[in-house]
Amino acid sequence: MPADVDRSEQELAAALARPLPGEGAERLTREQLAERTGLSPTLLDVAEREGLLVPRDDALPYTSDDVDAVRAAMALLEAGVPLSELLALARDHDEAMRALADRAVDLFARYVVDPIRGTAESDDDAAQRMVDALQAMLPAASAVVAHHIGRRLVAAARARIEQQ
Amino acid sequence: MTATDTTTVRVRTAAAQDPGDLLARLPEGVVFAWVRHGDGLVGWGEAHRVPVGTGAGRFPAAVAALEGWFAAADVDREIDGAGTGPVAFASMTFDPRTQGSQLVIPRVVVGRSGGRCWITTVGGAAATLPDPTPLPEPTRIRYAGASAPEVRWLEAVDAVAGEIRTEGPLQKVVLARDLQVWSAEPLDVRPILRRLSARFSGCWTFAAGGLVGATPELLVRRRGTAVESLVLAGSAPRGRDRAQDDEAAAALARSHKDRVEHDLAVGSVVEVLTGLCSAVEAEDEPHLLRLPNVQHLATRVTGTLLQPLSALAVAGALHPTAAVCGTPVEDAMGRIRELERMDRGRYSGPVGWVDAAGDGEFGIALRCAEISGTRGRLFAGAGIVGESLPELELEETRLKLRAMQSALEATPAAPYSSGGRKPPSSV
């Protein structure tokens, strides 16, 4: 008998709302994020509207990982990259990554969630296996993507130097 | 302040063969240009420079000094009409408080209008037309920073939009920013002019002592007592095909924000011309002006001068318009001085020419760069109203700067990123 779909999905949603392994455990308010990064109210508004920051929909929308990401972006600005060019790059990156993220979630549903549903012995078993899979896969996927973009950047920089 | 020399300067205008592309005839050195659809004036050398001061009276003082010089000249011409005889090229700073305005009578001016061509020489032996020069290899342009960080500009836009939403009397402020570039070779104004003119043939391509650009906006044209102005404000992108193009135009026609911006700009021109003219008329509804990269709402305003004011004087009365400064003008000027953290120089100031009869044409120096040796300064601005989102205004100025960068280095004008979601406006 297939596991209860609603039940599993509730568990997944709950797992996604909790900090995941590898995600900064500390949850922050909007004000705390601004305070710790020195981000002005204007830039914070812009970063949210542009989709550069993806807040959770609650009173503690950010984490200490967001602090690190904002500080990294500010380091790029301080290094001399104009804000307008950084925003344009981020917009293109966001557009490309959105499509890839959708496909990755689709893969998770098709090749991980569906088989668990078809083989689980009980609702509890199904929910637990899905949450375990999610908690293993999210940081793994993030690590793969981060590693790849890092390698791509280095390769592009090398190619540029060789060209000159 | 007198500009009269002790010896009388001889000015000769001779009929000339059609020179083809006027811009291709410009020799090396200091050049001047005002060309649209192949017609207009180009000039080079410097026969005389009228000093231009600062302050509220700078336009009348410059006009008086220039008219003194014109009156003392001994003019001999084979053909007449606007632009024949001695001609001065003017490029005035945006802010009356800042120095850097230029009013120069070139040594040689070549003109074409309505199928007639002429060459005017000021002093010395009669000039002959130089051979056309081939376009040089494009120069690589490198980024050299900006007068103020873009983050500060973004915050200034946010602050101004907030002030407009919550307090009076500000309705609109045009905020500009710059981008500095350098090149290994000295930057030549002439190929930049030719590329601008080829790409924007419907715009007035201008050059005046290092300032080079192309503007779709006519501040004033004067012929005798007739004056006209073409006001542009409110913009939409060009579509990839006819249907998309028309859709963007229809959205522009419906846009409340663009219509408000447009009506403020037309209102400011009508108000000034009403003080100088009889029979001031503005088109009831704006028409659509399509340029290669953008379409604008445009309104033609005409009038008949009550007194024989020179085109330069009328330009001075109209400047600064809501389109480059804001509404109300005095408050907007104050915010610009506080928030831009840079000197606009001649960017967004009147640029054009005037002849001894007072006829002439002036535009506003938008879509332009200030070139000096191996260095250049590019400018772009955006009209900020209460509904403005700072990141979209920043993106608008990025795209405008990109268009000018590509004219400087002869690269295709397409922006690097597809991320732009807002069309450039005329500023």
Side-chain angles (χ1 to χ4, degrees), chain B residues 132-399:
Chain B
T133 49
L135 263 176
E137 284 297 305
T139 323
R140 169 118 190 254
I141 301 295
R142 293 155 198 272
Y143 178 70
S147 290
E150 292 184 7
V151 173
R152 294 285 95 76
W153 193 85
L154 185 88
E155 287 165 354
V157 170
D158 205 17
V160 159
E163 186 183 343
I164 293 170
R165 282 194 301 272
T166 55
E167 302 160 32
L170 270 187
Q171 293 174 274
K172 174 188 168 180
V173 179
V174 177
L175 287 181
R177 61 191 187 90
D178 71 353
L179 187 153
Q180 291 152 16
V181 297
W182 65 279
S183 162
E185 302 286 314
L187 289 164
D188 189 343
V189 166
R190 298 173 300 163
I192 301 171
L193 267 175
R194 287 165 73 177
R195 285 194 287 267
L196 284 172
S197 156
R199 181 159 161 73
F200 299 104
S201 66
C203 291
W204 285 271
T205 302
F206 58 86
L211 184 72
V212 56
T215 180
E217 188 153 6
L218 184 70
L219 184 61
V220 61
R221 173 192 284 129
R222 197 209 94 159
R223 293 288 185 277
T225 58
V227 291
E228 73 171 277
S229 186
L230 182 66
V231 181
L232 305 185
S235 326
R238 292 299 305 264
R240 276 187 211 90
D241 52 42
R242 179 70 187 269
Q244 222 182 40
D245 222 19
D246 291 344
E247 174 48 41
L252 176 60
R254 286 192 305 267
S255 160
H256 177 254
K257 172 183 180 271
D258 287 285
R259 190 57 191 265
V260 167
E261 203 181 327
H262 187 79
D263 290 347
L264 286 173
V266 172
S268 84
V269 167
V270 167
E271 189 187 326
V272 173
L273 287 186
T274 301
L276 307 175
C277 299
S278 61
V280 175
E281 279 180 40
E283 290 170 318
D284 291 336
E285 285 292 314
H287 63 271
L288 194 66
L289 183 78
R290 279 182 165 156
L291 298 173
N293 59 339
V294 63
Q295 33 197 347
H296 294 294
L297 293 178
T299 294
R300 188 174 300 279
V301 183
T302 55
T304 305
L305 283 173
L306 296 166
Q307 290 175 2
L309 279 179
S310 127
L312 179 57
V314 179
L318 285 165
H319 179 77
T321 63
V324 293
C325 184
T327 314
V329 164
E330 281 309 313
D331 302 80
M333 184 67 98
R335 288 298 173 282
I336 289 168
R337 284 176 183 144
E338 265 166 56
L339 295 171
E340 276 185 1
R341 301 176 189 217
M342 67 166 190
D343 178 5
R344 285 193 186 188
R346 295 180 290 169
Y347 164 72
S348 70
V351 60
W353 60 270
V354 58
D355 67 15
D359 286 340
E361 292 174 9
F362 281 84
I364 299 167
L366 303 174
R367 286 168 203 182
C368 66
E370 181 84 61
I371 304 293
S372 175
T374 59
R375 299 255 157 190
R377 217 178 140 206
L378 283 56
F379 300 89
I384 311 305
V385 294
E387 299 163 57
S388 297
L389 285 177
E391 64 272 27
L392 297 191
E393 305 300 335
L394 184 68
E395 176 64 4
E396 175 177 326
T397 51
R398 187 184 75 95
L399 293 176

Side-chain angles (χ1 to χ4, degrees), chain A residues 40 42-43 46 49-50 77 80 82-85 87-88 91-92, chain B residues 143 150-151 154-155 158 389 391 394-395 398 402 417-419 421:
Chain A
S40 69
T42 300
L43 266 180
V46 168
R49 280 196 299 259
E50 291 282 300
L77 288 176
L83 176 65
S84 62
E85 298 291 350
L87 287 176
R91 232 173 266 139
D92 286 357
Chain B
Y143 178 70
E150 292 184 7
V151 173
L154 185 88
E155 287 165 354
D158 205 17
L389 285 177
E391 64 272 27
L394 184 68
E395 176 64 4
R398 187 184 75 95
R402 182 75 84 207
S417 158
S418 57
R421 290 173 302 175

Side-chain angles (χ1 to χ4, degrees), chain A residues 49-74:
Chain A
R49 280 196 299 259
E50 291 282 300
L52 302 180
L53 285 170
V54 187
R56 287 165 193 262
D57 191 16
D58 62 34
L60 295 169
Y62 292 107
T63 72
S64 42
D65 279 359
D66 290 308
V67 174
D68 295 342
V70 169
R71 285 191 181 141
M74 289 169 90

Side-chain angles (χ1 to χ4, degrees), chain A:
Chain A
M1 200 180 132
D4 179 351
V5 171
D6 286 347
R7 168 77 190 285
S8 309
E9 285 184 347
Q10 279 165 15
E11 291 286 334
L12 278 179
L16 282 168
R18 287 194 297 272
L20 293 156
E23 193 181 15
E26 195 184 358
R27 299 277 302 274
L28 304 173
T29 64
R30 213 168 170 269
E31 291 67 31
Q32 284 170 323
L33 177 73
E35 209 171 281
R36 293 194 190 184
T37 56
L39 206 58
S40 69
T42 300
L43 266 180
L44 184 50
D45 288 347
V46 168
E48 286 180 346
R49 280 196 299 259
E50 291 282 300
L52 302 180
L53 285 170
V54 187
R56 287 165 193 262
D57 191 16
D58 62 34
L60 295 169
Y62 292 107
T63 72
S64 42
D65 279 359
D66 290 308
V67 174
D68 295 342
V70 169
R71 285 191 181 141
M74 289 169 90
L76 292 176
L77 288 176
E78 273 157 32
V81 180
L83 176 65
S84 62
E85 298 291 350
L86 207 56
L87 287 176
L89 187 66
R91 232 173 266 139
D92 286 357
H93 179 77
D94 186 50
E95 199 174 315
M97 293 313 284
R98 248 174 226 263
L100 286 178
D102 272 349
R103 278 177 59 188
V105 168
D106 195 48
L107 291 184
F108 177 74
R110 188 184 300 259
Y111 296 109
V112 179
V113 172
D114 287 353
I116 289 173
R117 278 181 184 152
T119 59
E121 287 166 7
S122 68
D123 288 359
D124 283 349
D125 178 43
Q128 189 55 49
R129 281 169 63 190
M130 280 184 209
V131 170
D132 288 349
L134 180 75
Q135 288 185 335
M137 287 178 74
L138 264 183
S142 300
V144 167
V145 171
H147 176 75
H148 177 257
I149 186 74
R151 282 301 178 94
R152 268 273 163 250
L153 284 171
V154 171
R158 281 215 184 102
R160 182 65 62 92
I161 289 164
E162 278 160 22
Q163 242 176 35
Q164 292 170 354

Side-chain angles (χ1 to χ4, degrees), chain B residues 39-59:
Chain B
D39 274 5
L41 301 174
V42 296
W44 58 90
E46 190 175 306
H48 183 71
R49 175 177 288 246
V50 177
V52 182
T54 56
R58 63 187 180 143
F59 276 92

